[in-house]
Every structure is written in C-alpha cells, then in structure tokens.
Amino acid sequence: MQELRNKPDNDVLIVGAGPTGLVLAIVLARGGVRPRVIDKRAAASPYSRAIIVHARTLELYAALGLAETALALGQKVDGLSPWIRGKPAAAIELGDFGAGLSPYPFMLSLSQDVHERMLEAHLAALGVAVERGCELEDYAEVGDGVVATLRRASGRREIVTARHICGCDGFHSTTRDIAGIGFPGDSYQQRFFVADVHAGGPLANGRLNVVLGRSGFLAVFPLREEGWARVIGIVPRELQDKPELDDGDIADILAAIPRLAPGTVDWTSVYHVHHRVADRFRAGSAFLLGDAAHVHSPAGGQGMNTGIGDAFNLGWKLAAVCKGRAPERLLDSFEAERRPFAQWLLNSTDRAFRYAVDPRPLPRALRLAVLPRLVPVATRVPALRRRLFKAVSQTGISYRATMAGGASHGAVAAGDRLPWVGPGAGSHRGMDPARWHLVVCGVASKDLARYAADNDLAIVEVLPARGRAQSLRRDTAYLVRPDGHIACIAWWQQTAILEAYRVAQGLTWCGQDTAPAVRATEPAKPAKGRAVALVTPAAAGQARPVNQ
C-alpha cells in the first residue's frame, strides 16, 4: 500500500465540534498535539437538547481547569420529584447524593449550547480555532494515515493529510459512513419535544421534576436563568402522527401540563430518539466517538457525558502516541474500554425507557403506584444510594476486563477509576490529561520518590485512615493514568512492579516530549499529619509541578 511520503499536514483531524469533539481537541492540545477541528455548521447552535452534566464529567473537567467555570454557568440540581396526577409523589434530595464518592456529588444542569461555548472559548485560548462551514466530503486510508477531502460552504475543496481522523460528527456521521462501519439498532416509535420556556407554578421550582403518566412522561429541568426551565417529554399520542408540529402545537402541549404555568417560549424542537451502537469504534486510522459511535434514550441524561468520556479516553492516548510516549497499540484500548460501556449503557437506558412508556396494566401500576414510593426509601439505604450514584454519575466505570496491572485489594483493582479521597480535590489532584502520576496511601518511600523523580511522576499522598475508607491499601502505590483510572497497583510501593508495567506497555513517562527528567539524590521528607498532600519528587524546585 502506498504510504504518506511526507509528514502529514495534521496529527489529528477532528470532524465535528460538539462537546465530544471540543473536549477531544482540548485534551490533545494539553498533551502537546495541535489538532485540526472542522464543523459543517456555519456557527455553533444556540439550541440543544442535552442538559445534564454528571460528576465524572466534572472530575474530568477539573483536570482541564474547567470545572469551576462549568459550575458557575450551570445550575446545581438539588432534588428530584416524581409527579403523578398533578401532585408530587415523593421528594428525593440530590444536593449531596454522592457525598463521599466525588468532589462533585450532584448533577449539574448546563444547557449544551452554553456548554459548547465554554469549551470552544477554552480551546481558542489554547491556540486552536474551530473551522466553521467546513465538512468532510471523503477520506481514504493511505499507509499510516489518511488523505481527506474537505469542502467549504463556498464549494471550495481542500485535500489534507492526517495521521488520525476522529469522527465526532453525530448520528448522521460522515466519518462512520465512509469507514463502512455498521450502526445497528433502532429508533423509538415515539417522538419527543423539547422547549425552553419562561414558566411559573409548582413544576418550575428549581428541582428536576418528572411527570409520570399512563403512557409517557416528561421532565422539567431548572436552568440558570431565573424563571426559565427546559421541558422535555413525549409528544402526546393524538399528535404523534402529525407530520409537522408548529409553535401552536407545542404551546398547547405546555399549557396542558398540570401545575406548570408556561409563559414565553424561547425555542422548541421535535425529534426521534434512537438506540444504536456502532459495530466498531475504530477502523484503521479512523475513530468514532460520541453520537457517531453510540446513541441512547434520554433516560438518565447519559449521552453527552458518555461522548465526553470517549473524548478524554482517546485524547490522552492519541497525544501519547503522536508524541512518541506510547506505542500505536495503546490506541486499541479505546474501543476495548469504551464500546462495552456504551453497549451496557444502551441496554440499561433502553430498558428504563421501555418501562417508562409501557401502557400495559402491570408496568403502568408499578410506574405510577409503586416506584415513586419505593425509590425514596431505597435511596436512604447507604449501600443502594452509593450504587445508584456510581451508575448514574459514571463514577463507577471500570476497565478491569481489559487491563492487568498488578495486584488488587478489596474493591479496588487495575482499571477502576481512582477512588476520591477528600477533602477538596484530594486524591484527584494529580489528574492531568498529559501526565501519569502516583497515589500513595500513606507516606512515599525513598525508593518510590526517587523513581518518581526519574520518571517525572508526581506523587499524591493520602492519609491512610481516609484511604482505607475508600478501599485503598496502606503503603501501596497506585499508578494512575491521565484519565484518572488505575493502571497498576504496587504493593509495598515496589518500584520493580511499576517498571515492569512501563516496559511491558512500551511507555515513556519522562515529561511530555521534553528533556530527561531531573534526577534526585534524596527525596523530600513529607510532613506528617496531612489529610491530603501533593508531593513532588526530591528536585521539586526544578521539576515541572503538577497543576493544582
């Protein structure tokens, strides 16, 4: 096969500038790779359907320096109430639902259009601009990369080369079609509507309110702007067969919602919901992420968060490979890790959705009479509450099935997300999309500190009593990937285990792509009694510090 004779124009070409594509670009830029980002839209859409940001996404954003910005732009969801026949059937407090499990133990309401503007501004600050009005027309694999044809809105075409191409171009993905990757699944029969509305009444009370009916449901989400709410629901049965719904139809639907007093409607949309997972997430030099790879029912607000998780997972790996810090085979782990989760999520949300709209007497009775009373009781049971939070927030995602990195202890194993040990960012303070780091339950040994200095690995220490509460083993070192997942566990801080893992994986940890790390002769002596301490190696004054 013909090879690219010269260095490709781009290391990575990203097709699509929604949240998934923008996060991928940010992670790559932070890793020293300047991507090219194109989007066929002339401008970012001022409207969106996705609105919920979960804890795991906020944890990843903290590593990018974006968590606080997202919190300032969004609205914390303090509670959830199911409503039946115009009355709240229960009240579930969500303000600290995941207390002790994440520094962000809640859901955040943040409209996707605002979300995208935040990400694009951050990407621009990193020196990467989105090329609007530019779409992928075709591409072909050529040796160790791709040759792509881009088309501008004016009709002008451009031929570019890239080492990798990433399809973040949504449900109707051109990248997926060209790659010939199947997208099996189906579409739900019901149509959905979404509307941003200035509203009053008990349903517009700043909480997430879910109205359950005989054959459907709708949800009212709080928005940051005072007095505004987003309403998402199933189009009533009598309108399902109407080809086009106009503003008057949507106004009638909103007016018919008990306990909601709708006023000005800002925008509306009517759409079908799909449930599909691509046969593959990779074909040669091409990768699929977000809605191009998987689409789900809106149950749980998981779609956008899953795409962002895809982007972070692939982004640090692509950066490491492009900068020569990891072998090409590392990229195989993207599909191995993310596709099983996408398939599990599709199955779970599909079951939840079908249950929520099943008109048969037994499911309807369970939905309207039993579940609203059972769930508040169940969520007061600590073990059930923790399990539910981990599932919904995506903090429970694990890649154990695809990783083997040394010993496991109790509930923690290689492949798991590193448990959060507070206060503050705590054990997550070392997360950086461009660097690996070590977390030690206790005090780092001299050998470990020397090894960390030699390999430009920062060390985060956690107090043993607090670490044990999250199933971390005392005097054990946890090697943590840039995405916060444990890669290797070294009991008694044995550096030989860490080095064996590095060699087996073909990794280079020293810096990003810089000069050799500063060597240490004597490790820094950490102070005792700190709940959480961030410790750089012995030559901390000369080594590059961890973002805090």
Side-chain angles (χ1 to χ4, degrees), residues 174-354:
T174 300
T175 312
R176 187 186 62 241
D177 290 343
I178 297 171
I181 297 175
F183 202 33
D186 206 348
S187 302
Y188 294 109
Q189 179 182 359
Q190 299 89 344
R191 285 189 296 172
F192 277 73
F193 74 91
V194 57
D196 279 2
V197 56
H198 192 273
L203 280 178
N205 59 2
R207 298 170 67 90
L208 169 54
N209 294 296
V210 180
V211 180
L212 301 173
R214 294 173 59 85
S215 60
F217 67 92
L218 63 85
V220 181
F221 296 87
L223 294 176
R224 183 75 176 179
E225 298 83 358
E226 186 175 355
W228 286 87
R230 176 161 298 173
V231 183
I232 300 176
I234 297 175
V235 172
R237 185 180 304 174
E238 60 271 18
L239 293 175
Q240 281 288 342
D241 295 330
K242 186 175 180 180
E244 298 290 337
L245 299 187
D246 56 31
D247 292 344
D249 293 322
I250 300 298
D252 290 342
I253 293 173
L254 295 172
I257 300 173
R259 315 292 283 173
L260 181 72
T264 303
V265 177
D266 184 34
W267 76 280
T268 66
S269 179
V270 177
Y271 58 99
H272 276 284
V273 173
H274 313 274
H275 49 109
R276 299 174 184 269
V277 174
D279 288 331
R280 292 174 292 159
F281 284 13
R282 181 185 187 185
S285 299
F287 298 87
L288 300 179
L289 303 83
D291 285 356
H294 46 80
V295 290
H296 322 270
S297 92
Q302 299 291 314
M304 180 177 66
N305 292 271
T306 306
I308 291 168
D310 293 344
F312 213 100
N313 183 287
L314 181 61
W316 74 264
K317 295 172 183 177
L318 272 176
V321 170
C322 289
K323 302 302 287 186
R325 301 192 300 269
E328 184 79 16
R329 69 176 185 270
L330 176 64
L331 301 178
D332 294 336
S333 65
F334 169 66
E335 178 177 315
E337 292 176 353
R338 296 301 296 177
R339 191 177 184 280
F341 174 69
Q343 188 65 61
W344 173 85
L345 184 62
L346 179 142
N347 295 337
S348 301
T349 56
D350 182 56
R351 286 194 298 269
F353 177 79
R354 293 187 186 280

Side-chain angles (χ1 to χ4, degrees), residues 77-111:
V77 180
D78 290 324
L80 182 152
S81 295
W83 287 66
I84 300 172
R85 302 182 187 91
K87 297 180 180 179
I92 303 169
E93 300 307 316
L94 298 178
D96 60 348
F97 196 76
L101 299 176
S102 171
Y104 309 101
F106 47 80
M107 291 191 298
L108 183 73
S109 174
L110 177 60
S111 183

Side-chain angles (χ1 to χ4, degrees), residues 147-193:
V147 176
T149 302
L150 309 183
R151 186 175 70 243
R152 303 283 178 177
S154 64
R156 182 173 64 87
R157 287 176 172 79
E158 178 185 1
I159 306 298
V160 301
T161 58
R163 188 171 173 183
H164 304 281
I165 184 169
C166 297
C168 305
D169 42 352
F171 178 72
H172 300 287
S173 170
T174 300
T175 312
R176 187 186 62 241
D177 290 343
I178 297 171
I181 297 175
F183 202 33
D186 206 348
S187 302
Y188 294 109
Q189 179 182 359
Q190 299 89 344
R191 285 189 296 172
F192 277 73
F193 74 91

Side-chain angles (χ1 to χ4, degrees), residues 511-525:
Q512 296 185 29
D513 56 326
T514 56
V518 177
R519 298 187 64 88
T521 56
E522 182 68 19
K525 184 68 175 178

